[in-house]
Structure formats: structure tokens, C-alpha cells
Amino acid sequence: MLRLTLTAALLAWAAPGLAEGDAEAGYKLARMCSACHGRDGAAVRANTPSIAGLDAEYISEQLMEYRSGGRVHPEMNIVAGGLKDDQISDLAAWFAAQEIPAQ
Amino acid sequence: MTALVTGFGPFGRWSVNSSGEAVAALGAARPGLAVATLPVDHDAAPRALFDAVARVRPEVLLLTGLADEPRLRLEMRARRPEAWRDAPDDAARMLHGLWPWAAALDAMRATGAPARLSDDPGRYVCETTYWAALATGCAPLVAFLHTPPLGAGWDAARVAAAMGACLDAALSATSRGRRPC
């Protein structure tokens, strides 16, 4: 029983279970990211990564990490601070669907 | 976490400035909070801001000003004043605030106040002052909030409640993450 509970807890931890995002809603939210990543995820600023075409799950995970302070970066911790789970999946869906910019 | 909130005084046909009134109400409700009222003047406003910043040394700076629109408007960027007239809005003439925009918007709406994000601080003293704050790096976290005129359902307490929520979103984002810079 304990073992089952533990497994369930681990599974829940490994897969945060964010619903699949809505890219259109993500586009609207992405204006908050455009100063640095560009509206389409092609970075517009030095020392800022492009995030277009990254895996949606990866983007969600990183945003949750920035939100919690688990991944530390002064600007990203602020911008992601207080983002709601559905906003995170919407943003992830939008940026994941963008073309990876040519280098 | 040290915060400074500024508002503007009366100007033109606005004998009462909702931003200054709400900032005063917020300051009265929160004794530890530093507040300042700036004069509506392209030169004097940044000077008064720099004085307040030198005194308070804020980590979080929320500038506020009046706009004739019946909702709160959180401004994400300022354009260089010298380029207002001739130039298109290109990135080289733009500086961006840093704030937990989404959380602040939600927090203001949760007080019952309509609010939106904006990219156009209005090409007047508000934008001059926002630009000056960003260009000189007045604080790690800076944003500008436009407040609606008083009357028509808005009193200073209602504006102050939303303003306080906007500020708190930034304060809790900074304490959750690490200190910027």
C-alpha cells in the first residue's frame, strides 16, 4: 500500500500533468516575452536564448522551475513568477509551434 | 524588499490626479512603504524621481500616472522621448520594464478592477519619466501603471487597492525567485 502510494507520488512528480496548451492563447501572452525572446521566440537581445521550436514539455518544465526559483535567473524568475499552470502550457504550446530561427 | 511607489500631482484640466491620490492612500495604509508625488513636467519629474530613488534605494519601483481610460493599464515599455515624433517604434528606441506582468494583471483584476497590458505609455510626462527610470537603472524591477480618472465608479481607495495588488505581485515574485542583480 505504502509502496503504491509512493509510486503514485513519484509518477505525479515526474509528470507534472499540465494540460496541453492553447497556442493562440499563448500568442497573446507572448507579448510579455517579446522584449527578450521576440514574439515568435527568436531572441532579440544579446545573452538571451531563442526558444522557438523547443519541446513544449521542456518549455513548461523550465517555466515552472523559474517560477519556483529552482532554476535561478533574475529576469526569468520575475517574469515567470506567478504565471498560472494554464498560462505556462499555453506559452509552451505557442513557442514550441514556432520555427527554429536560422542562425 | 524596499519598494518605492510614485504618482503625479495635478495638471491641466485634471485638478485631481488619480495616481497621486491613490499613492497617498496606499502610503497611508502601509506605513513602511516609500511614496512620492512627482510634478507633471518633463524636466522636474525625472529630477524628483531621482531624488526619491537616491533617498529610498528601492529594489522595486512602481511609477504611476493618470490616463483618460476607465481601467488600469500596465505599461511594459517606454520609447526614447527624442524619437517620439519622427520615428517608428523600433527596438533601438525602446526600453522595457521588468515585472511579473501576468501575475500583476491577475492580481489587479482580482480586486475587481479592469486592467490590461500596454505598449504605449502615451508620449507625455509619464513616458518621459518611465524612460528616465529605465535608462538610469533606477531599480532592478521597474514598471509604470496608468490609473483611470477618479469619478465614474473609481475612487482613490479602489485605485489604491489595485495599485497595491500590482506592487505585491512584484514583491512576491522577487521573494520567490532570487534577488535580481
Side-chain angles (χ1 to χ4, degrees), chain A residues 29 31-32 35 67-69 72 74-75 77-79 81-84 87, chain B residues 76 96 98-103 106 117-119 141 174 176-178 180:
Chain A
L29 293 165
R31 67 188 294 200
M32 300 182 294
R67 181 177 67 182
S68 69
V72 178
E75 292 170 325
N77 290 143
I78 297 303
V79 178
L83 278 179
K84 291 195 284 231
Q87 294 174 321
Chain B
M76 295 196 292
H96 297 265
L98 179 63
W99 207 258
W101 307 111
D106 290 340
L117 292 176
S118 166
D119 288 326
L141 263 70
T174 48
R176 210 178 8 249
R178 300 294 183 276

Side-chain angles (χ1 to χ4, degrees), chain B residues 2-5 32-36 50-60:
Chain B
T2 313
L4 169 65
V5 184
L33 179 66
V35 297
F50 297 154
D51 285 348
V53 165
R55 200 172 64 239
V56 177
R57 306 201 148 274
E59 287 153 292
V60 173

Side-chain angles (χ1 to χ4, degrees), chain B residues 121-180:
Chain B
R123 295 187 156 88
Y124 191 50
V125 178
C126 290
E127 191 156 4
T128 310
T129 310
Y130 195 10
W131 175 272
L134 293 171
T136 56
C138 274
L141 263 70
V142 182
F144 194 104
L145 180 65
H146 265 127
T147 59
L150 298 187
W154 293 96
D155 59 16
R158 185 177 184 213
V159 180
M163 194 182 275
C166 182
L167 176 67
D168 288 341
L171 291 173
S172 67
T174 48
S175 58
R176 210 178 8 249
R178 300 294 183 276
R179 261 195 70 203

Side-chain angles (χ1 to χ4, degrees), chain A residues 2-101:
Chain A
L2 176 67
R3 188 131 169 219
L4 255 181
T5 321
L6 212 68
T7 315
L10 273 175
L11 273 175
W13 175 76
L18 285 194
E20 200 165 308
D22 168 358
E24 212 169 298
Y27 170 73
K28 291 192 186 126
L29 293 165
R31 67 188 294 200
M32 300 182 294
C33 323
S34 62
C36 306
H37 298 290
R39 191 82 183 241
D40 302 332
V44 293
R45 215 185 58 154
N47 303 317
T48 305
S50 289
I51 56 174
L54 293 181
D55 191 58
E57 203 172 315
Y58 174 80
I59 296 177
S60 292
E61 277 169 16
Q62 299 315 306
L63 288 174
M64 288 189 289
E65 285 290 301
Y66 285 125
R67 181 177 67 182
S68 69
R71 181 171 173 181
V72 178
H73 185 270
E75 292 170 325
M76 279 308 300
N77 290 143
I78 297 303
V79 178
L83 278 179
K84 291 195 284 231
D85 286 354
D86 61 332
Q87 294 174 321
I88 286 183
S89 21
D90 293 347
L91 284 161
W94 166 253
F95 285 115
Q98 304 313 303
E99 300 259 327
I100 299 167

